[in-house]
């Protein structure tokens, strides 16, 4: 079967001119905001909660619950942060939304701010999105003039202002605690939770951090209602996912699909034209560069969190990275490790040391110089990092290596230096 | 060597654009300085630290963490 698109958050992309308020309004833009302003903040949160929307930034936290936790805090001021740092390997979905339908994202931010009671907003862009960030600066000024931002939005009495931050090239800054530290002008490192950002976030104030795609879903949920949203996707995993297809594919593509509506194989064939060489798929990482590899026998897995987890990986950012037959899995694991090793913030020891040691061993394997015990060592270090690192990065970066060792052990073993009494 | 008066001008200009500085402008200001000068001159970092009542050491720690921030222009590095 071929995969089909279901366009909700990408509906206007390439159709309605972006950064054009008139065009946005003519295409029913801002209606959700008007509706949200006529509702109580608690009712808006309840609607989002009932919709079942979960975060699209990788961790899958229920959005309505996060809003409720933020709203519950007593504080003179609160923050709403839109995480536009999109740094996960093989993931370009947020970029599409930020430049393809920016007013939608801003409308989602404003509705979220209203729901949680945030008067201050920050959008934090990946350094590669500089030109998009500049267009956002202009859009924000236009929004202030149109009374869509400011002290009294559309005469409702609700005030919300947004500031633009441009990242400076650190992947870890996308992790929410590091993101907050970055905006505060401190070293961007994660820290233990609790307290959660919803309690003690930016400058100590209650802070709701949401991903771009999460916020982009909000206007339609508010306007069309939770029941409409619940009719899309699977019972336990609702709505759509904006997937990125990359790696050994004919065409890199970003497409929006209803959760569970197509399998990995169908999406790769239909949207990306299959593998680059036409050879069969050997493996995929379904949730970006920190997700575990799945082998070809898992290609029939539907694109849905539970199904992908049962197959042994994670849907993460829905960045589907394809590896075709002939692509060395050792090389693939090395590329992932090189990227994440460079990006370790260095604050906690497992990640700081583990990334270096694992890359060292992998490079020895690659060069045919690793001893038989090395693979066990690789597994042990990877496991230790996964269970003892502070943040999601340290917990996740060993996944590709560990899964590659499990799925394709012979590729590693065949490159070892033969040793007497070798057990593996 | 303290920067000449002319060297302070881009900084003064960008401060004017910001208006009254708020705590949550700190990363944005550092970015604007980097973009204006191609680096974050020490004297200017010191001034940011005083204006925002933030320890210089903390801002230094932040600035040196990012590949996109520099303390000196590349050719002045050595
Ligand atoms: C190393 C690391 C990098 C991350 N990078 C991003 C990112 O670029 N964008 C993003 O939205 N979330 C990122 N996250 C997830 C955030 O910590 C956070 O969970 C998310 O922004 C919350 O938004 P959501 O609930 O709407 O998904 C990252 C997490 C980790 C551990």
């Amino acid at each position: 079967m071929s995969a089909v698109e279901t366009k909700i958050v990408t509906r206007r992309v390439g159709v309605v001119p972006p950064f054009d308020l008139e065009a946005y309004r003519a295409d029913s833009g801002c209606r959700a905001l008007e509706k949200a302003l006529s509702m109580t903040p608690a009712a808006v949160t309840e609607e989002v909660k009932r919709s079942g929307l979960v975060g699209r930034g990788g961790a899958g936290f229920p959005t309505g619950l996060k809003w409720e936790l933020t709203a519950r805090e007593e504080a003179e001021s609160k923050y709403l942060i839109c995480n536009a740092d999109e740094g996960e390997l093989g993931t370009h979905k947020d970029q599409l939304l930020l430049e393809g339908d920016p007013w939608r994202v801003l409308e989602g931010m404003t509705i979220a701010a209203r729901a949680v009671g945030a008067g201050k907003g920050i959008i934090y862009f990946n350094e590669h999105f500089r030109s998009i960030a500049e267009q956002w600066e202009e859009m924000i000024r236009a929004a202030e003039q149109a009374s869509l931002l400011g002290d009294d939005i559309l005469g409702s009495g609700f005030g919300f202002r947004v500031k633009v931050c441009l990242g400076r090239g650190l992947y870890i800054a996308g992790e929410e605690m590091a993101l907050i530290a970055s905006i505060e002008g401190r070293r961007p490192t994660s820290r233990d939770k609790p307290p959660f950002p919803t309690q003690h976030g930016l400058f100590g104030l209650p802070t709701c951090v949401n991903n771009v795609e999460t916020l982009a879903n909000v206007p339609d949920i508010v306007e069309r209602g939770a029941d409409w949203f619940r009719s899309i996707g699977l019972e336990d995993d609702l709505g759509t996912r904006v997937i990125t297809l990359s790696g050994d594919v004919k065409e890199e593509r970003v497409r929006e699909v209803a959760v569970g509506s197509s399998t990995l194989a169908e999406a790769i064939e239909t949207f990306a034209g299959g593998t680059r060489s036409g050879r069969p798929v050997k493996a995929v990482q379904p949730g970006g560069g920190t997700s575990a590899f799945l082998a070809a026998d898992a290609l029939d897995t539907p694109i849905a969190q539970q199904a992908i987890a049962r197959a042994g990986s994670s849907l993460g950012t829905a960045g589907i990275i394809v590896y075709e037959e002939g692509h060395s899995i050792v090389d693939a694991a090395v590329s992932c490790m090189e990227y994440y090793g460079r990006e370790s913030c260095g604050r906690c020891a497992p990640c700081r040391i583990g990334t270096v040691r694992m890359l060292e061993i992998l490079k020895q394997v690659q060069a045919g110089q690793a001893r038989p015990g090395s693979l066990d060592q690789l597994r042990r270090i990877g496991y230790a990092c996964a269970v003892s690192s502070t943040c999601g990065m340290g917990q996740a970066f060993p996944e590709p290596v560990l899964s590659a060792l499990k799925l394709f052990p012979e590729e590693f073993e065949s490159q070892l230096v033969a040793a007497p009494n070798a057990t593996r | 060597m303290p920067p000449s008066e002319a060297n302070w001008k881009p900084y003064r200009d960008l401060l004017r654009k910001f208006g009254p500085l708020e705590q949550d402008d700190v990363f944005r200001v550092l970015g604007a300085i980097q973009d204006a000068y191609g680096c974050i001159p020490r004297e200017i970092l010191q001034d940011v630290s005083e204006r925002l009542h933030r320890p210089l050491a903390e801002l230094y720690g932040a600035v040196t963490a990012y590949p996109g921030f520099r303390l000196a222009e590349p050719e002045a590095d050595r």
Side-chain angles (χ1 to χ4, degrees):
Chain A
M1 256 178 49
S2 57
V4 285
E5 292 179 71
T6 299
K7 294 190 178 188
I8 299 173
V9 294
T10 60
R11 178 169 68 77
R12 293 194 192 91
V13 176
V15 179
V16 177
F19 296 104
D20 179 340
L21 180 55
E22 287 319 305
Y24 183 69
R25 278 206 151 120
D27 192 70
S28 78
C30 301
R31 273 196 219 152
L33 176 61
E34 283 162 18
K35 183 169 171 188
L37 291 171
S38 72
M39 297 161 69
T40 64
V44 176
T45 299
E46 185 54 32
E47 197 67 19
V48 171
K49 215 172 155 186
R50 222 165 50 77
S51 77
L53 176 67
V54 302
R56 305 304 199 215
F61 193 84
T63 307
L65 178 58
K66 192 183 280 187
W67 290 12
E68 193 175 79
L69 292 171
T70 315
R72 176 190 294 175
E73 297 291 321
E74 302 264 352
E76 57 186 289
S77 176
K78 297 179 193 176
Y79 276 103
L80 181 281
I81 299 177
C82 176
N83 189 343
D85 197 39
E86 187 161 69
E88 186 72 357
L89 285 179
T91 310
H92 304 289
K93 66 192 182 67
D94 294 341
Q95 182 179 356
L96 185 83
L97 298 171
L98 292 165
E99 61 187 348
D101 195 359
W103 281 103
R104 165 189 291 276
V105 179
L106 184 61
E107 187 174 358
M109 285 178 72
T110 312
I111 295 170
R114 160 81 172 170
V116 305
K120 299 176 180 190
I122 306 258
I123 179 162
Y124 188 104
F125 287 92
N126 184 299
E127 62 154 354
H128 297 301
F129 302 171
R130 180 185 285 265
S131 69
I132 305 177
E134 284 164 3
Q135 287 176 288
W136 266 73
E137 294 268 16
E138 267 176 50
M139 177 174 78
I140 286 166
R141 277 195 293 275
E144 283 166 359
Q145 268 158 24
S147 176
L148 293 166
L149 287 175
D151 295 331
D152 180 17
I153 295 176
L154 299 177
S156 65
F158 170 62
F160 179 57
R161 289 184 182 277
V162 176
K163 291 181 179 180
V164 170
C165 284
L166 181 64
R168 295 288 159 163
L170 279 185
Y171 163 72
I172 190 63
E175 191 279 333
E176 59 186 10
M177 298 314 312
L179 179 70
I180 286 170
S182 178
I183 300 167
E184 288 177 345
R186 295 186 294 113
R187 286 186 74 87
T189 58
S190 188
R191 65 153 167 82
D192 291 320
K193 293 182 265 191
F196 295 95
T198 52
Q199 307 162 298
H200 190 92
L202 191 55
F203 296 106
L205 297 172
T207 301
C208 176
V209 182
N210 277 134
N211 169 257
V212 171
E213 185 188 346
T214 311
L215 292 166
N217 270 288
V218 166
D220 282 65
I221 291 173
V222 168
E223 198 188 336
R224 304 200 220 180
D227 290 329
W228 161 80
F229 190 76
R230 295 193 68 87
S231 70
I232 302 155
L234 305 175
E235 208 175 334
D236 61 349
D237 191 353
L238 294 151
T240 61
R241 293 297 301 248
V242 183
I243 62 174
T244 309
L245 294 148
S246 72
D248 299 333
V249 289
K250 282 235 164 59
E251 314 267 1
E252 297 210 350
R253 286 287 180 264
V254 181
R255 290 286 184 272
E256 185 175 9
V257 293
V259 173
S261 65
S262 49
T263 65
L264 291 167
E266 288 163 354
I268 293 166
E269 271 311 311
T270 311
F271 301 135
T275 59
R276 191 182 291 142
S277 65
R279 289 195 293 271
V281 174
K282 171 178 177 174
V284 294
Q285 286 179 287
T290 46
S291 64
F293 289 99
L294 294 175
D297 61 2
L299 285 172
D300 289 337
T301 310
I303 299 171
Q305 177 50 41
Q306 295 298 327
I308 299 271
R310 254 181 272 122
S313 188
S314 144
L315 188 53
T317 57
I320 300 171
I321 309 174
V322 177
Y323 302 86
E324 62 190 6
E325 284 290 349
H327 195 134
S328 151
I329 210 77
V330 177
D331 290 353
V334 167
S335 319
C336 291
M337 279 303 309
E338 278 180 331
Y339 180 71
Y340 295 108
R342 225 177 14 245
E343 298 294 338
S344 173
C345 82
R347 179 183 160 276
C348 75
C351 177
R352 179 179 68 240
I353 302 168
T355 45
V356 175
R357 290 288 169 257
M358 287 178 76
L359 184 58
E360 229 167 54
I361 298 172
L362 281 169
K363 289 231 153 160
Q364 284 170 2
V365 174
Q366 214 176 18
Q369 291 166 352
R371 307 248 151 226
S374 312
L375 299 185
D376 270 339
Q377 204 182 356
L378 202 49
R379 285 189 194 94
R380 279 201 304 274
I381 301 173
Y383 179 72
C385 292
V387 298
S388 63
S389 293
T390 300
C391 87
M393 167 164 167
Q395 291 156 17
F397 81 80
E399 283 299 319
V401 178
L402 295 174
S403 58
L405 279 164
K406 200 153 100 193
L407 296 170
F408 304 97
E410 65 291 346
E411 280 193 44
F412 290 85
E413 285 159 10
S414 65
Q415 296 204 49
L416 297 179
V417 172
N421 311 322
T423 48
R424 303 176 165 266
Chain B
M1 184 182 67
S4 66
E5 186 52 30
N7 286 353
W8 284 94
K9 188 173 181 304
Y11 177 57
R12 298 230 169 84
D13 289 348
L14 69 88
L15 281 184
R16 205 167 310 119
K17 254 172 71 186
F18 269 89
L21 276 195
E22 298 177 305
Q23 284 299 323
D24 62 11
D25 286 320
V26 58
F27 187 71
R28 292 152 42 79
V29 166
L30 295 175
I33 297 167
Q34 168 68 42
D35 291 344
Y37 289 88
C39 66
I40 302 183
R42 190 196 159 92
E43 293 76 6
I44 291 177
L45 189 62
Q46 176 105 40
D47 189 79
V48 174
S49 133
E50 282 161 18
R51 273 174 205 272
L52 288 171
H53 312 289
R54 295 285 300 274
L56 182 59
E58 199 174 41
L59 297 183
Y60 180 89
V63 164
T64 51
Y66 300 86
F69 283 144
R70 298 177 163 276
L71 288 172
E73 282 182 84
E75 54 274 17
D77 263 349
R78 58 190 65 105

